[in-house]
Amino acid sequence: ELKVEQNPLFLSMQEGKNYTIYCNYSTTSDRLYWYRQDPGKSLESLFVLLSNGAVKQEGRLMASLDTKARLSTLHITAAVHDLSATYFCAVDMKYDGSQGNLIFGKGTKLSVKP
Amino acid sequence: EPEVTQTPSHQVTQMGQEVILRCVPISNHLYFYWYRQILGQKVEFLVSFYNNEISEKSEIFDDQFSVERPDGSNFTLKIRSTKLEDSAMYFCASLTGTGGDEQYFGPGTRLTVT
């Protein structure tokens, strides 16, 4: 059974600081996704990581994937209040090349304070 | 930009009643999914649908659940006899299936069972 673990689950940051959210998963997969969710809202896709060593950046967020370590990171640079949200990583269950079903981590609730 | 739509946005029902949640996936997408999120918890996979049949389902998706694509545009989730524990946000998602792409999530339907 594929398990996805995120840490930390809660993160309170000051504006301007850097931090990293970690996502570990238990079985082979080469597709990993990061989503953002604002309270009461749907899931907004942030990054799709499809291969070992993949690194993607958008604004103050950068995501990377190490399939050998089964680890993805979401790095936040110089946090601003607008980044306050819950961040989920999700792993595609199917690793045989076809798209499968996403298994989500529990989410990291990020709060950025002035 | 094309988007996944869901109706209703909020459904209140009494325990034991049947509900149908509706989704209109993005028009050229081939894979369809239902997920649920109990308040404050992670997103959980329910079922995937491809080529007019269920391709995978989770343990949550028991006999009280069913899915259907009644026409070329709608994708529905039916819960036959709702229970209190079915109260959750239900998200529909779709993707093209051409490889390497992401699942696009709808805005969700909040189901409240009383």
Side-chain angles (χ1 to χ4, degrees):
Chain A
E1 180 191 346
L2 176 60
K3 293 184 180 178
V4 181
E5 293 186 356
Q6 278 182 246
N7 69 84
L9 298 182
F10 298 92
L11 179 54
S12 182
M13 294 178 65
Q14 278 195 312
E15 280 191 331
K17 298 293 186 183
N18 304 333
Y19 210 84
T20 300
I21 299 171
Y22 296 88
C23 176
N24 289 91
Y25 53 98
S26 60
T27 62
T28 304
S29 175
D30 59 1
R31 296 172 187 266
L32 191 136
Y33 305 80
W34 284 96
Y35 287 90
R36 168 181 170 146
Q37 186 180 40
D38 291 295
K41 302 293 186 182
S42 187
L43 296 156
E44 175 192 352
S45 177
L46 295 175
F47 300 107
V48 181
L49 302 170
L50 299 177
S51 61
N52 187 40
V55 177
K56 291 196 175 179
Q57 183 164 3
E58 181 74 33
R60 300 174 187 275
L61 301 178
M62 183 174 70
S64 66
L65 177 62
D66 181 342
T67 57
K68 293 179 181 176
R70 298 177 187 167
L71 170 68
S72 179
T73 60
L74 180 66
H75 187 72
I76 303 156
T77 302
V80 293
H81 179 70
D82 285 352
L83 290 179
S84 297
T86 299
Y87 293 84
F88 290 96
C89 66
V91 177
D92 192 330
M93 275 185 67
K94 295 225 176 193
Y95 47 85
D96 58 359
S98 63
Q99 266 105 359
N101 322 310
L102 299 184
I103 304 300
F104 283 79
K106 290 186 176 180
T108 296
K109 186 172 183 178
L110 172 66
S111 175
V112 181
K113 302 181 186 303
Chain B
E1 184 177 332
E3 58 183 17
V4 178
T5 60
Q6 290 184 243
T7 55
S9 57
H10 190 192
Q11 173 91 45
V12 181
T13 190
Q14 287 191 326
M15 195 168 51
Q17 296 296 305
E18 174 183 288
V19 294
I20 297 176
L21 310 183
R22 292 183 168 79
C23 168
V24 179
I26 296 173
S27 63
N28 63 338
H29 286 191
L30 301 177
Y31 291 78
F32 314 114
Y33 305 83
W34 283 102
Y35 294 84
R36 80 170 185 190
Q37 184 181 32
I38 295 170
L39 185 64
Q41 298 187 23
K42 69 176 182 179
V43 179
E44 299 174 291
F45 165 73
L46 293 178
V47 65
S48 60
F49 193 86
Y50 171 70
N51 201 24
N52 284 319
E53 61 183 20
I54 291 174
S55 48
E56 293 209 39
K57 58 184 181 179
S58 72
E59 292 176 352
I60 302 168
F61 194 88
D62 61 22
D63 291 343
Q64 69 161 340
F65 291 93
S66 62
V67 289
E68 197 177 30
R69 190 157 161 82
D71 52 43
S73 58
N74 291 283
F75 179 50
T76 62
L77 174 68
K78 181 191 290 185
I79 309 174
R80 289 191 185 80
S81 178
T82 51
K83 304 171 190 169
L84 294 176
E85 54 264 38
D86 293 328
S87 295
M89 182 74 92
Y90 288 81
F91 292 107
C92 173
S94 69
L95 62 77
T96 62
T98 56
D101 59 349
E102 64 197 84
Q103 291 187 24
Y104 290 85
F105 282 78
T109 293
R110 179 166 296 284
L111 176 64
T112 301
V113 183
T114 61

